[in-house]
Structure formats: C-alpha cells, structure tokens
Amino acid sequence: VKITYNSQRILNMNSLRIIVAAIVCSLLVSTSYAVDNPGQQTNQSVSTSDGESVWWPSRWGQDDQLGALNHLNESTVLSAIGLVTRGKVVDLAHPIEMGQPDFHGRLYALTSAGGPSGGPVGAPKFMYNDEWIAGQITGMGTQFDALVHLGRQLGQHGDNRSVHYYNGFTHGEIGTAHGFKKLGVERVTPIFTRGVLIDLSKYKGRVLGGDDVIGVDDLKGALKLQGMTERDIHPGDVVLWRLGRDTLWYDAPEQYIQSTAGLNKAAADWLVGLDILAVGADSFAMEPIPPKNDRMAEIHATFLLYNGIYMFENLDLRELSEAGIYQFAFSFAPIPFVGAQGSPARPFALY
C-alpha cells in the first residue's frame, strides 16, 4: 500500500495543534490564577445576583485591609483632643455577664477555676485566682464588628467559595477553621478620633422600637435639635445614634432583644457619604428588626462590606444623652483575637 502525504495538510494540522495547545495552556493558566487568587477578580468578571456592581477594589487599593481606618492620622487625633475641655470620661459599654439575653442566642460563661486557683506561694503564703471563660465572647455584650464580620454569597446557594468580603476577598482565600487570614480584628489599629452622638430618642421624645425606620430627615432633625448640622460630622468621625433602648438592657432585657429600630438604606448611604470611620447604636442591629423587606442585613453590608466602615452594637449612651454631650473624643482598641470577626468592646467618650 502506498501512502501519500499532503505537505500542506500536515502544515495545517500542525498549525491547528499549536493553536489548540496555546488555547489550552491559556485556560490552564487562567484557571490556576483564579484558584490561587480568588479574591482578585475584576469588576467585569463577577456580578451580584441582582445585577449590582461589585464593591471592590477598595478606594484604598486592592490589597487594603483597613477600610475607613485609613482616615486616621495626626490631625484627626489632634482634632479629637481639642474636644476634651472638662476632663470627663464616659464608659460607653455594658458589662459582660452570664445570663444576659442575646438576639442571636449566643452564650457566655465564666467559671472560677478553684477556690483559690493556686498557691500558696512565698513565705507569706500568697494565693491567686484564675477563671475559665467559654462562649461566643467576640459577639457578646457591647461589641465591635471587624470587616470580616459580614460577607455576601454571589454564587449558587450554599456555595461558600463564592462568599466575598470587604475589598473582594473570598472565603476560599481567607477563611480557615481557626479564623481568617485577612481582615481579622487583630488588624484594627487603636482608634482615637472625634465622636458624634445623634440623640434620636430625645428628638422623638420616646424609646424607638421595631416599628421605627430611621431616615435622613430623622438624622438631620435630631442634629438640628442639638444645634448641629451634617457639617459638624468630619471625615474619620465615629457617629453614634441613640434610640433609648440602652435603658431596656437592664430594665427589660427580653424586650431589648425582641426588636429594634434601625436605619433605612438612604440614611446609611448619607452617613457613608460623610466619610466616617465607624457607626454605633444602643441596639443589637443597625437595621430595623423585624426586617421591613427581603434585604435583611443590608445596612450591615452598606457599612462593613461595601465601604469598610466599622460598627459598634449594644452601646450604653445614657450618660452622654443625660449630659447633653454630642461631640467628644472617642477612644477604643479591640482585643486582638487573631483571625476573629469582632471583639468585646469598651469604648470611651472624653469631653
């Protein structure tokens, strides 16, 4: 049998093989990059289920993990110091204690490890005490939410690989069984800046509840009653609002966790536009509970996820309200649990 080869056909086939091989290599390289760098997707390659634009990269760069902490500098510290004129310090936290009801059903327990735990030591026979602490302590009592507290699932239901956090970091990239490799609360620097209180309870003349939705006009109205405007809120400020629910923490704790007033989306966006560092309230949530639509946690997302603005919950704002102090120096540093999504909080107001 005589076999005849067509040199042009061979050339065409070899060219085709080269082209196919190049395409396969390109796909393999692209796939490898996507697996190794799942948080570095571009705005064009990922979209939300409802067609919204994705929220990364951050205004502070694609590798940023600080969010609105980038507002802090020497001038914000000095501006805050200028508000301390009377030498007063106000504790804005509730104590953490066993048995306090929690909206999420979290638990906290403290057990003394003996009586006393150890000793005697030295000739004088000194004794010492330890304790065991158990529970979800990063979310108990007055609490601080770091940027990894909230993510958003962009893929199929249950596909945790598609959960994205602040600046586009994905759960597959930063999540582990023992915390987060990025955005953990240990990365939060000490905060010393200006604080502003918006006393909505005083503005409304009552304790706000689950039927109340706070809009921009409410925030501006409360500021006006205090002799202030939005111009009194500076970039890098911490903005707190009081609903009057801090009184329920002690007087009616079960009622406290049943519902709460909260911001609508327009009010949250308005605050974001003021370039603030953090928000906080005397409540367990930033949004109304029960929710008023099918977008539960949207206010959390507006602050933490989309804009890198930190949050404080379950604050005690009674003393500031009673003293009529609406601008003050704000001081706080979280417990640096490596990889944690938050921390117990004990912020202070100084004036």
Side-chain angles (χ1 to χ4, degrees), residues 95-142:
I96 300 175
E97 58 183 322
M98 292 176 58
Q100 182 69 30
D102 179 74
F103 172 73
H104 298 282
R106 299 183 180 113
L107 297 175
Y108 162 79
L110 184 151
T111 302
S112 296
S117 305
V121 295
K125 298 183 179 180
F126 296 116
M127 310 296 291
Y128 60 88
N129 290 289
D130 293 323
E131 62 272 333
W132 293 92
I133 293 178
Q136 295 166 279
I137 59 173
T138 58
M140 292 298 296
T142 302

Side-chain angles (χ1 to χ4, degrees), residues 205-221:
R206 57 183 174 83
V207 175
L208 280 69
D211 293 331
D212 292 300
V213 179
I214 301 160
V216 176
D217 288 344
D218 295 314
L219 297 175
K220 290 183 175 181

Side-chain angles (χ1 to χ4, degrees), residues 14 40 42 53 83 90 135 158 164 171 180 184 195 212 255 278 317 330:
N14 286 339
Q40 303 302 316
T42 66
S53 298
L83 295 174
V90 179
H164 287 66
H171 197 84
F180 292 86
D212 292 300
Q255 181 182 344
L317 302 173
F330 181 93

Side-chain angles (χ1 to χ4, degrees), residues 23-70:
I23 293 172
V24 170
C25 289
S26 176
L27 289 172
L28 288 173
V29 170
S30 298
T31 302
S32 174
Y33 182 82
V35 170
D36 294 338
N37 301 274
Q40 303 302 316
Q41 303 175 67
T42 66
N43 287 16
Q44 289 73 36
S45 65
V46 178
S47 60
T48 65
S49 59
D50 46 13
E52 299 173 356
S53 298
V54 295
W55 56 89
W56 66 87
S58 162
R59 60 191 283 193
W60 293 290
Q62 65 178 1
D63 297 320
D64 179 63
Q65 297 185 55
L66 295 179
L69 283 171
N70 284 288

Side-chain angles (χ1 to χ4, degrees), residues 207-238:
V207 175
L208 280 69
D211 293 331
D212 292 300
V213 179
I214 301 160
V216 176
D217 288 344
D218 295 314
L219 297 175
K220 290 183 175 181
L223 284 171
K224 184 177 180 179
L225 181 66
Q226 298 168 188
M228 300 169 63
T229 71
E230 62 191 86
R231 295 186 182 89
D232 293 301
I233 300 175
H234 301 177
D237 281 5
V238 173

